[in-house]
């Protein structure tokens, strides 16, 4: 793990949870596309209001990133890369964009928790993300819904 802050946080977690000592190295990342978005997502995660995140399957494929899977660990950082908490993936669902329901938007915990907010925000995010690959989002595109639990924070 290149990020020293993430390495130390992961080490502190392993000191208390030796059963995961041989787990794969966690992914180190932030959630959001700007400093303000990352700050807001961290606030929601640390408070327990945000318990899911959504990836476009196409974006993951174009960036050659693996699908999240149950049991994966993620060290979540702020915009500067300072580790703040550790998440563990508890469920992954692949759904067409058009099939996302309000119950999911509430679990994702952003904005006013409405489906309308979720769809508008994610459509904009996916448009920006896929533009780099000459693609556009579609109602039928697959969204990777990753559910997580916060398992450790300092």
């Amino acid at each position: 793990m290149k990020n020293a802050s993430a390495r130390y946080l992961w080490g502190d977690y392993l000191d208390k949870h030796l059963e995961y000592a041989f787990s794969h190295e966690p992914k180190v990342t932030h959630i959001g596309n700007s400093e303000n978005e990352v700050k807001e997502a961290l606030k929601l995660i640390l408070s327990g209001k945000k318990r899911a995140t959504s990836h476009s399957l196409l974006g993951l494929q174009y960036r050659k990133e693996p699908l999240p899977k149950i049991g994966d660990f993620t060290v979540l950082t702020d915009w500067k890369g300072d580790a703040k908490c550790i998440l563990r993936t508890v469920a992954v669902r692949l759904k067409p964009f058009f099939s996302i329901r309000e119950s999911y938007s509430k679990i994702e915990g952003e904005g006013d928790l409405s489906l309308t907010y979720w769809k508008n925000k994610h459509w904009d995010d996916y448009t920006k993300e896929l533009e780099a690959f000459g693609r556009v989002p579609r109602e039928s595109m697959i969204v990777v819904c990753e559910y997580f639990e916060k398992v450790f924070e300092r």
Side-chain angles (χ1 to χ4, degrees):
M1 206 177 307
K2 292 180 184 179
N3 180 319
S5 173
R7 190 171 52 249
Y8 295 138
L9 188 67
W10 180 241
D12 289 348
Y13 178 73
L14 291 179
D15 283 346
K16 295 177 170 101
H17 298 278
L18 290 175
E19 66 271 26
Y20 299 118
F22 296 103
S23 295
H24 292 288
E25 188 174 280
K27 178 180 178 179
V28 178
T29 192
H30 58 264
I31 294 177
N33 298 314
S34 69
E35 188 170 1
N36 284 339
E37 282 185 16
V38 170
K39 185 177 180 180
E40 182 62 21
L42 262 174
K43 180 178 144 190
L44 293 170
I45 290 166
L46 293 174
S47 73
K49 292 179 182 173
K50 181 172 179 62
R51 301 181 325 268
T53 192
S54 305
H55 316 274
S56 74
L57 180 59
L58 271 177
L60 291 175
Q61 290 171 328
Y62 278 116
R63 290 188 308 276
K64 297 182 179 8
E65 292 180 22
L67 280 172
K69 61 183 183 309
I70 295 171
D72 281 353
F73 287 100
T74 301
V75 176
L76 201 61
T77 70
D78 63 14
W79 185 251
K80 296 174 188 169
D82 294 327
K84 298 299 179 184
C85 67
I86 298 174
L87 307 177
R88 188 157 191 228
T89 302
V90 297
V92 178
R93 306 270 190 290
L94 277 62
K95 300 179 178 184
F97 185 88
F98 69 80
S99 75
I100 300 294
R101 300 289 176 245
E102 190 143 351
S103 58
Y104 180 73
S105 65
K106 289 182 188 325
I107 292 168
E108 201 164 304
E110 296 175 356
D112 64 3
L113 307 180
S114 71
L115 181 59
T116 300
Y117 177 90
W118 186 95
K119 285 196 169 195
N120 289 336
K121 168 81 171 72
H122 286 79
W123 192 266
D124 289 346
D125 289 347
Y126 298 148
T127 298
K128 291 173 191 163
E129 174 189 30
L130 297 175
E131 185 176 47
F133 306 108
R135 301 292 301 264
V136 295
R138 305 228 185 274
E139 285 286 326
S140 59
M141 69 181 233
I142 301 299
V143 175
V144 180
C145 302
E146 180 180 4
Y147 300 78
F148 56 77
E149 62 182 351
K150 178 184 64 174
V151 294
F152 190 73
E153 74 175 287
R154 253 193 225 131

